[in-house]
Amino acid sequence: MTMQTKIILALGLAAALSAPVAAVAQSAQTKATVDSAKAAGIVGEQADGFLGFVTAAADPAIKSAVAEINAGRAELYSQAAAKNGVTPAAAGAAAFESVVKAKLRPGDYYRPAGGGWTRK
């Protein structure tokens, strides 16, 4: 992937992830559930651009909310990949690096590529 492609992809993903909630197929309740799970250290952001479980024990509502948000992100990454001539995996990784990482709040968990869960 060229630097120009990375920049275009990052800008497109930044705009899409900053768009209204409907753009990434999530409800306000879903977002609130995930935000609460993040604050509790149950859910974190991963280097692939998707949410993951920091702890193994998550109730069904949290699992459903994570699945809903991840499905929306997968669609977004597929669209960005098609527009930029990259794979959806590359789009997800670019989103993590350029958008998601910057939005992490103190205390949030994230998992960098090849690493374990880390608290910001």
Side-chain angles (χ1 to χ4, degrees), residues 7-55:
I7 292 169
I8 292 169
L9 180 60
L11 291 173
L13 287 168
L17 290 173
S18 299
V21 173
V24 289
Q26 68 187 30
S27 68
Q29 180 60 44
T30 297
K31 183 176 180 342
T33 299
V34 168
D35 286 348
S36 177
K38 283 182 176 181
I42 298 168
V43 172
E45 296 285 352
Q46 302 178 127
D48 62 2
F50 292 98
L51 295 168
F53 291 97
V54 178
T55 63

Side-chain angles (χ1 to χ4, degrees), residues 38 41-54 73 96-97 100-120:
K38 283 182 176 181
I42 298 168
V43 172
E45 296 285 352
Q46 302 178 127
D48 62 2
F50 292 98
L51 295 168
F53 291 97
V54 178
R73 289 182 181 188
F96 175 77
E97 288 299 325
V100 176
K101 230 169 141 176
K103 292 184 176 185
L104 291 171
R105 297 174 299 226
D108 282 353
Y109 281 90
Y110 66 97
R111 184 165 50 189
W117 288 107
T118 304
R119 194 168 205 173
K120 180 174 179 184

Side-chain angles (χ1 to χ4, degrees), residues 68-97:
E68 182 179 329
I69 289 176
N70 280 345
R73 289 182 181 188
E75 178 62 28
L76 183 65
Y77 300 156
S78 290
Q79 291 171 4
K83 288 179 185 176
N84 293 286
V86 298
T87 65
F96 175 77
E97 288 299 325

Side-chain angles (χ1 to χ4, degrees), residues 1-10 84-86:
M1 182 179 342
T2 68
M3 181 57 77
Q4 182 179 9
T5 301
K6 286 180 183 179
I7 292 169
I8 292 169
L9 180 60
N84 293 286
V86 298

